[in-house]
Amino acid sequence: MTTRVSLKLQKRLAASVLDCGKRKIWLDPNETTDINKASSRASIRKLIKSGYIVRKPEAAVSRFRVRERLAAKRKGRHTGTGKRHGTREARMPTATLWMRRQRVLRRLLRKYREAGKIDRHLYHELYLKSKGNVFKNKRVLMEYIFKVKAEKARTKALADQAAAHRLKAKAARERKAQRAAEKKAALYGETKSA
């Protein structure tokens, strides 16, 4: 039967060298004879370097269960009425939602204006509409912009068509008047000669 050697001194010295408590010191049970021989800080440092004396890691509370629960919460679990404290307004203020929506819409309008997709007049009109709660999200605003642009393009095309038609009609009228004048002049010349 082997007698256990007291390594109290070595543990105290190791704790002093490693700047921690004695409970954080691990002494290799297979190397007790070598450790027992060490009686100075220098020899303790040597044993630490060789791995016979080790500082135990800090005991921390595991985050595993917290991560698991958060993952479940992201899926929508554990969020029923029984888990809620505070009114809906307190949990997610309508003012915050409003600001978030306005910032999204205004950012989009700015981007479109700078890119030249909308002119400053349309920008101002849409800015005021956004403020007046006309668009509930970004998609609705984008659809509205596309619709307005398409309508503008259609009216412009129609206006151009009408202008072209007017020019054509005017030219036809002028030609008709010219032909009539020529006919009249020819007829008038014949009657004179007769």
Side-chain angles (χ1 to χ4, degrees), residues 138-194:
K138 191 171 160 180
R139 183 178 52 80
V140 173
L141 174 58
M142 283 167 84
E143 281 171 8
Y144 185 86
I145 290 170
F146 293 145
K147 198 170 81 180
V148 166
K149 283 179 81 175
E151 186 62 36
K152 266 190 177 178
R154 200 173 71 84
T155 51
K156 191 178 185 298
L158 285 171
D160 290 349
Q161 208 177 336
H165 187 71
R166 276 198 301 276
L167 280 169
K168 199 175 174 187
K170 192 181 178 188
R173 272 200 312 276
E174 282 172 359
R175 278 200 305 276
K176 195 175 177 186
Q178 199 177 349
R179 275 202 302 273
E182 283 170 6
K183 221 175 191 183
K184 204 175 184 183
L187 199 72
Y188 187 63
E190 274 177 28
T191 49
K192 248 188 178 181
S193 61

Side-chain angles (χ1 to χ4, degrees), residues 6-142:
S6 174
L7 301 174
K8 234 175 162 184
L9 170 71
Q10 286 76 10
K11 194 168 259 198
R12 182 176 62 76
L13 288 174
S16 178
V17 168
L18 289 170
D19 193 26
C20 64
K22 283 180 280 192
R23 63 198 286 272
K24 284 270 175 260
I25 300 297
W26 176 82
L27 305 171
D28 194 335
N30 304 320
E31 306 295 334
T32 48
T33 49
D34 287 352
I35 294 168
N36 195 26
K37 285 175 194 165
S39 57
S40 66
R41 285 167 198 277
S43 53
I44 292 290
R45 278 196 195 92
K46 213 172 273 178
L47 290 171
I48 289 166
K49 206 170 185 184
S50 56
Y52 295 164
I53 297 175
V54 177
R55 179 180 178 163
K56 288 182 194 172
E58 295 292 326
V61 178
S62 170
R63 295 272 311 158
F64 173 76
R65 288 185 299 278
V66 177
R67 286 195 205 101
E68 286 277 282
R69 194 170 184 81
L70 285 174
K73 268 196 167 185
R74 274 195 288 276
K75 285 182 181 174
R77 317 285 187 267
H78 320 292
T79 52
T81 45
K83 291 285 177 186
R84 296 178 203 163
H85 289 289
T87 60
R88 179 190 287 171
E89 184 67 20
R91 285 162 65 84
M92 189 74 257
T94 48
T96 305
L97 291 171
W98 171 261
M99 284 189 285
R100 203 176 285 170
R101 177 150 50 111
Q102 286 305 303
R103 283 169 187 168
V104 166
L105 297 176
R106 287 171 184 181
R107 200 179 304 127
L108 180 77
L109 287 174
R110 254 199 320 276
K111 195 171 93 177
Y112 273 21
R113 185 183 61 184
E114 282 160 13
K117 289 183 181 177
I118 56 173
D119 61 352
R120 62 196 179 90
H121 304 291
L122 183 58
Y123 167 85
H124 188 64
E125 184 190 322
L126 295 175
Y127 187 97
L128 293 177
K129 276 189 190 299
S130 301
K131 190 182 178 184
N133 201 19
V134 174
F135 312 113
K136 73 169 184 178
N137 55 39
K138 191 171 160 180
R139 183 178 52 80
V140 173
L141 174 58
M142 283 167 84

